[in-house]
Amino acid sequence: MGERRLVVGAAIVRGARVLAARRTTPPEAAGRWELPGGKVEPGERPADALEREIAEELGCVIEVSAWLSGASVIDDHLELRVAVARLVDGEPEPREHDRLTWVGADGLDGPGGLDWMVADRPFLPELRHVLRTAETEQHRGVLRAVLFDEDDATEVQRRLRADGYEARLERERLAGEDDDEDHPWAVLTDAPQLLVEVLVDEHDGWLDDDTVASAAQPVAPLELPSGPRRIKRPGAHS
Ligand SMILES: Nc1nc2c([nH]c(=O)n2[C@H]2C[C@H](O)[C@@H](COP(=O)(O)OP(=O)(O)OP(=O)(O)O)O2)c(=O)[nH]1
């Protein structure tokens, strides 16, 4: 027997919750929760396979941020890897699943938690950690400024730090397969939203949706978006 074929699952994280999907087939898996995804085609990169499967199954666009560690055996022929991903366009709709749910660290598993596919369970502790980190950042009012160029990101970071705020750089695709120029930079900061908005504006970036709606409230009575959306995203990048 050769190597097991790879199945990839997406832990799509928004705010501090992850999207879980309930299977309908085969009968023994119906009613069990999984991370949406599917089989990687021969010659296909796992991140591309995942983005393709999500478009097919959920009708939305994601971007892989980082792979969780390890792989989990599904059966003699298949093994599962899981990536943390961010929703970049559209809203997930179930096309092949009978239910979708956004679940936080506390609702992942354990009493009252979801009944996951067996192969997914080894990923839950690390996933819980990812969600807890996201929760902490939300509570601290951390904003995420996204910029296309490293120079812009570094400059925004420098200016925020010069003003006494914390500012940390992150690459949008952290541990993906490739590292080409398409992947933007993010600056995570505890600076006030207005200041961050001014800086991203100067550097052709935008403020990410996830963080704004929840984080901005304690900072200032601004006009807040009622639903998740991106604030000032350039239409195309040059
Ligand atoms: N997508 C996905 N599949 C999982 C997970 N956990 C798990 O055991 N599996 C199993 C169920 C299936 O046996 C297999 C993936 O099959 P699939 O039916 O979702 O994949 P696919 O869309 O590429 O299907 P196919 O039509 O090519 O057969 O992996 C999970 O979290 N996500």
Side-chain angles (χ1 to χ4, degrees):
M1 201 182 60
E3 281 183 13
R4 289 187 175 84
R5 182 165 175 193
L6 192 58
V7 172
V8 286
I12 304 173
V13 175
R14 178 155 80 184
R17 294 190 296 169
V18 64
L19 187 71
R22 200 166 69 174
R23 285 192 74 97
T24 58
T25 59
E28 61 276 16
R32 284 262 174 90
W33 295 86
E34 69 171 7
L35 296 167
K39 297 177 187 113
V40 177
E41 296 297 333
E44 192 178 32
R45 292 183 324 173
D48 292 340
L50 197 47
E51 290 166 9
R52 172 184 56 73
E53 287 282 353
I54 295 304
E56 288 168 15
E57 287 178 16
L58 302 174
C60 60
V61 181
I62 60 157
E63 193 169 76
V64 167
S65 321
W67 291 92
L68 296 185
S69 38
S72 167
V73 169
I74 295 171
D75 58 28
D76 286 349
H77 309 286
L78 298 172
E79 67 175 6
L80 177 68
R81 292 200 65 196
V82 171
V84 175
R86 299 157 46 73
L87 199 53
V88 296
D89 200 23
E91 187 62 28
E93 302 168 8
R95 295 179 178 175
E96 295 174 15
H97 296 93
D98 68 354
R99 270 186 69 189
L100 299 180
T101 188
W102 291 96
V103 61
D106 294 326
L108 262 192
D109 62 349
L114 301 180
D115 181 18
W116 288 93
M117 296 285 283
V118 172
D120 293 57
R121 293 177 197 163
F123 295 101
L124 298 180
E126 195 179 350
L127 189 51
R128 181 177 302 102
H129 178 74
V130 167
L131 298 177
R132 290 261 183 254
T133 305
E135 259 170 28
T136 308
E137 300 208 319
Q138 278 190 326
H139 290 148
R140 289 178 51 224
V142 172
L143 295 173
R144 185 181 186 96
V146 184
L147 300 127
F148 283 113
D149 294 327
E150 185 175 6
D151 288 351
D152 287 314
T154 311
E155 177 58 14
V156 168
Q157 181 189 37
R158 190 192 65 74
R159 293 191 37 195
L160 290 168
R161 286 184 169 169
D163 282 355
Y165 299 105
E166 281 180 39
R168 170 161 73 77
L169 272 192
E170 243 182 37
R171 199 77 198 270
E172 289 264 294
R173 189 182 294 242
L174 297 169
E177 350 287 285
D178 58 346
D179 205 26
D180 56 47
E181 291 111 54
D182 279 353
H183 306 306
W185 295 80
V187 183
L188 281 86
T189 180
D190 60 352
Q193 182 170 343
L194 269 174
L195 172 58
V196 184
E197 269 172 355
V198 169
L199 290 175
V200 293
D201 214 54
E202 280 176 22
H203 291 271
D204 283 333
W206 70 89
L207 248 181
D208 190 68
D209 55 353
D210 298 355
T211 47
V212 173
S214 52
Q217 256 133 5
V219 178
L222 299 171
E223 268 193 86
L224 296 169
S226 55
R229 66 181 169 91
R230 287 182 181 246
I231 291 181
K232 189 170 191 327
R233 171 168 196 174
H237 93 267
S238 43

